[in-house]
Amino acid sequence: FTDRSLLRGVPLAELTANLGVHWAGNALTAGSLEEQWDLSCVCTSLYAFFSHSWPTSRWDKLLILTFAFNAPAAYLISAVVCFGMVYLHYALGWFGSSFDFGVPGADDFEGAFITNASSDSFLSHLYLESGVIEQPSWPGYRYTLMALAVSLLLFLMLMLFWQRLRDVLVHAGVVSPIHCFLDKICICQHDLTLKAEGIASLGAFLNYSQRTIVLWGP
């Protein structure tokens, strides 16, 4: 770079916001060219350099970005929440009682079943002489379904909004920002001199990028 202020990156959260509007085409997607350039900022390095084809559908690009950058966090957080809810319920007895196994005629088998058994003691105390085991009663089964439903809803929300949530954590100083290169935003469009310098510096943008991500369609 002849001028290091030309090294600019746009937050990944901006590239996935508004259903990926910036990937719709090379047309203006902000109030003005100046405002569009202001979506980027001067940085010391770039997380990713996006090489893409404008004719490729914006929805294809958004889907790839969502799975590449949102899915790992969504999978991890939703799984931790699901298993955490189940553990708190069945192991520690939070949010109600544990499974209640009830079998018709169980009174005829003294000691055959222990109701409200915890998950860690159930197998060690259960006699299988009767050969009949019913499904868990509704209260415990319902809580398992609720934990799955909550984790699924959380997964979908994180798939859509994880980068926005991460942006909040960035402003709070918890995590580092992710700056990426997208030509229409990171290269000045309203000043022909800066635009020419930016285009001439594409090799430098690549040099300061940790990775190159190619988004090309057929």
Side-chain angles (χ1 to χ4, degrees), residues 12-13 15-20 61-79 150-166:
L12 185 59
L15 296 181
T16 56
N18 301 317
L19 299 178
K61 298 173 185 176
L62 181 61
L63 184 63
I64 293 173
L65 292 178
T66 298
F67 275 94
F69 294 102
N70 292 3
Y75 280 125
L76 178 61
I77 296 175
S78 60
V150 169
S151 61
L152 177 60
L153 179 61
L154 179 61
F155 173 79
L156 294 176
M157 295 295 290
L158 289 173
M159 284 291 286
L160 293 174
F161 304 112
W162 168 245
Q163 292 304 323
R164 284 299 185 186
L165 176 59
R166 193 183 187 284

Side-chain angles (χ1 to χ4, degrees), residues 12 33 70 79 98 103-104 112-113 139 149 152 158 165-166 174 183 200 205:
L12 185 59
L33 291 176
N70 292 3
S98 303
V103 179
F113 294 91
L152 177 60
L158 289 173
L165 176 59
R166 193 183 187 284
V174 178
D183 47 7
F205 279 109

Side-chain angles (χ1 to χ4, degrees), residues 14-25 27 29 54 58 62 184:
E14 183 63 40
L15 296 181
T16 56
N18 301 317
L19 299 178
V21 64
H22 298 301
W23 300 96
T29 51
W54 286 119
R58 102 194 226 191
L62 181 61
K184 65 184 284 185

Side-chain angles (χ1 to χ4, degrees), residues 8-17 22-23 37-43 46 50 163-164 166-167 170-171 177-182 185-186:
R8 300 175 70 92
V10 57
L12 185 59
E14 183 63 40
L15 296 181
T16 56
H22 298 301
W23 300 96
W37 196 46
D38 286 340
L39 295 175
S40 65
C41 60
V42 178
C43 54
L46 295 168
F50 286 113
Q163 292 304 323
R164 284 299 185 186
R166 193 183 187 284
D167 201 38
V170 169
H171 286 90
I178 295 179
H179 291 116
C180 303
F181 174 86
L182 180 62
I185 297 178
C186 298

Side-chain angles (χ1 to χ4, degrees), residues 8 31 47 57 76 82 84 100 113 121 133 145 148 151 160 163 174 178 187 192 200 202 207 216:
R8 300 175 70 92
Y47 179 80
S57 169
L76 178 61
C82 182
D100 186 1
F113 294 91
S121 63
I133 300 180
L145 292 178
L148 291 174
S151 61
L160 293 174
Q163 292 304 323
V174 178
I178 295 179
I187 293 179
L192 295 180
L202 283 174
N207 187 48
W216 285 75

Side-chain angles (χ1 to χ4, degrees), residues 61-211:
K61 298 173 185 176
L62 181 61
L63 184 63
I64 293 173
L65 292 178
T66 298
F67 275 94
F69 294 102
N70 292 3
Y75 280 125
L76 178 61
I77 296 175
S78 60
V80 169
V81 169
C82 182
F83 285 110
M85 290 178 66
V86 172
Y87 176 79
L88 290 175
H89 180 64
Y90 294 113
L92 303 182
W94 288 24
F95 313 114
S97 60
S98 303
F99 272 147
D100 186 1
F101 288 87
V103 179
D107 293 338
D108 298 333
F109 302 93
E110 182 177 356
F113 294 91
I114 298 178
T115 59
N116 294 322
S118 62
S119 59
D120 59 345
S121 63
F122 173 70
L123 291 178
S124 62
H125 293 85
L126 178 64
Y127 296 97
L128 300 178
E129 296 175 357
S130 65
V132 180
I133 300 180
E134 276 198 349
Q135 292 293 329
S137 63
W138 178 242
Y141 195 56
R142 178 180 58 190
Y143 187 83
T144 303
L145 292 178
M146 184 179 72
L148 291 174
V150 169
S151 61
L152 177 60
L153 179 61
L154 179 61
F155 173 79
L156 294 176
M157 295 295 290
L158 289 173
M159 284 291 286
L160 293 174
F161 304 112
W162 168 245
Q163 292 304 323
R164 284 299 185 186
L165 176 59
R166 193 183 187 284
D167 201 38
V168 174
L169 299 178
V170 169
H171 286 90
V174 178
V175 296
S176 301
I178 295 179
H179 291 116
C180 303
F181 174 86
L182 180 62
D183 47 7
K184 65 184 284 185
I185 297 178
C186 298
I187 293 179
C188 182
Q189 303 294 319
H190 60 277
D191 186 307
L192 295 180
T193 300
L194 290 177
K195 182 177 182 178
E197 291 181 2
I199 294 174
S201 301
L202 283 174
F205 279 109
L206 279 167
N207 187 48
Y208 281 93
S209 299
Q210 298 177 26
R211 56 184 53 78

